[in-house]
Amino acid sequence: MSRQLFVIDPVERLRPQKDSSVALMQAAQRAGQEIWICQLSDLAAGNGGPRVRAQPIQAEPWYQLGDPEWLPLSHFPRVWMRKDPPVDEAYLYGTHLLELGERQGVQVLNRPASLRAWNEKLGALRFPHLMAPTLVSSHVADLSAFAESHGEVVLKPLGGRAGQGVIRTSAQAPGLGALLELVTNQQQLPVMVQAFLPAVINGDKRILLVNGEPLGAINRKPKAGEFRSNLAVGGQPEATALTAQERQICRELAPALREAGLFFVGIDVIGDRLSEINVTSPTGVREVERLGGIPLADLTQEQLLRPNLT
């Protein structure tokens, strides 16, 4: 029996009917894998190499824990980095410790170096032709000029998640300059500004890609009076199918994702425009399974356990 380690938030906080990490753990158990868990603070390294204080878990039914023990990180052929953002100092140091395990042959999902390199807002700018008009800048004058050119715009903090801190505004909005000074910390912090896409009223698609292949998607519709469609801020999930353009977006992303070792990714698409590439702890598995009838977590394990996966 092989083993998989999941680096997660405290297990008691996970909601089994909703959480994608739980879905992935349960699918791994069904695939005959031995499942262990830890938190970022349980990673360590020294002269003996990287190690981890981990606990075995019976994930289905949810959940039963075994006793924790210190083990070499190489004890686990596959390690899932499923700690939710923010990508703070603890998170970044955790990726460095996991990278030491990579050097010993551990497969880390997703690759630690790529978790650092692919900011979930900035990563999409590797494919600017797939996006709505976008600017990242710290300068109020540049951001104001962008808003003047595009009318309604959306401001996004580069470290934000789940729709937090996303603001819809326009060049005509009173106090725009003061708002831009605030979000840029007096022109010291870059932010992203994008042309507002009215198509968001029809929803924002979350597409889950496994080893570059789109295995399922949901459409997230914003609640009344809201433009943000994230589930965390009240968006409602619904079943959906991919458009031809969305499939083309996935085909264009796939080679770069595979090369970067980004095995499990959630992309966001609004009106056939790429919005974000989520790599840290993508969600949506439960919704795809429930609304689309797709056993996405089990399909993910099938992809992972293929002998020829690189």
Side-chain angles (χ1 to χ4, degrees):
M1 178 182 292
S2 188
R3 293 170 296 275
Q4 293 183 26
L5 173 67
F6 286 75
V7 184
I8 57 173
D9 290 293
V11 66
E12 62 272 13
R13 297 184 192 171
L14 305 187
R15 293 180 290 170
Q17 300 306 315
K18 183 172 178 59
D19 196 277
S20 294
S21 293
V22 176
L24 293 167
M25 283 190 273
Q26 291 177 338
Q29 185 174 309
R30 290 192 294 270
Q33 301 286 288
E34 187 178 293
I35 311 305
W36 294 64
I37 62 170
C38 74
Q39 296 181 47
L40 279 178
S41 58
D42 294 316
L43 296 169
N47 292 341
R51 56 197 180 104
V52 60
R53 183 179 183 270
Q55 288 180 274
I57 183 172
Q58 290 293 317
E60 198 170 29
W62 186 252
Y63 62 91
Q64 183 177 342
L65 289 174
D67 294 329
E69 55 183 300
W70 281 103
L71 295 165
L73 196 57
S74 58
H75 185 73
F76 302 97
R78 298 176 180 89
V79 175
W80 289 85
M81 177 53 146
R82 291 288 304 177
K83 169 70 177 70
D84 282 344
V87 179
D88 53 14
E89 280 188 282
Y91 189 100
L92 292 173
Y93 295 150
T95 66
H96 287 289
L97 292 169
L98 290 172
E99 204 163 23
L100 295 174
E102 258 191 338
R103 293 174 177 271
Q104 296 181 340
V106 175
Q107 182 183 11
V108 183
L109 311 155
N110 289 316
R111 183 179 296 161
S114 294
L115 289 176
R116 296 192 298 269
W118 287 64
N119 173 276
E120 297 186 337
K121 305 294 191 296
L122 296 174
L125 283 170
R126 298 167 189 254
F127 310 92
H129 61 291
L130 300 177
M131 301 176 69
T134 300
L135 172 70
V136 174
S137 178
S138 305
H139 294 283
V140 168
D142 292 342
L143 296 167
S144 297
F146 184 94
E148 189 68 40
S149 297
H150 295 282
E152 282 198 277
V153 295
V154 174
L155 294 169
K156 296 181 177 181
L158 297 181
R161 64 186 182 98
Q164 296 173 0
V166 177
I167 302 168
R168 178 179 172 183
T169 187
S170 71
Q172 288 71 44
L176 176 63
L179 174 63
L180 294 174
E181 290 170 358
L182 178 66
V183 298
T184 61
N185 190 24
Q186 301 299 316
Q187 303 193 99
Q188 298 303 305
L189 188 70
V191 299
M192 175 177 283
V193 59
Q194 291 182 311
F196 175 71
L197 297 174
V200 75
I201 194 171
N202 298 318
D204 172 352
K205 285 192 185 179
R206 164 59 56 88
I207 305 172
L208 291 170
L209 293 91
V210 177
N211 200 29
E213 180 182 347
L215 293 189
I218 54 168
N219 191 47
R220 304 171 296 180
K221 294 198 74 170
K223 66 181 180 181
E226 177 64 81
F227 75 95
R228 297 172 299 171
S229 55
N230 308 74
L231 301 183
V233 294
Q236 292 299 308
E238 61 183 19
T240 190
L242 298 187
T243 67
Q245 176 60 21
E246 288 163 350
R247 292 191 179 278
Q248 178 59 30
I249 289 173
C250 293
R251 283 193 291 270
E252 290 200 41
L253 297 183
L257 297 179
R258 293 191 188 108
E259 183 179 2
L262 294 170
F263 175 78
F264 192 82
V265 171
I267 68 170
D268 296 337
V269 178
I270 302 172
D272 285 338
R273 294 283 191 169
L274 177 66
S275 175
E276 294 184 14
I277 302 175
N278 298 278
V279 303
T280 51
S281 184
T283 61
V285 173
R286 291 299 198 198
E287 290 79 9
V288 168
E289 293 182 333
R290 175 169 54 87
L291 297 170
I294 299 168
L296 197 143
D298 292 304
L299 293 173
T300 299
Q301 285 293 326
E302 287 181 17
Q303 287 264 20
L304 179 60
L305 298 174
R306 285 180 181 174
N308 60 348
L309 178 66
T310 57

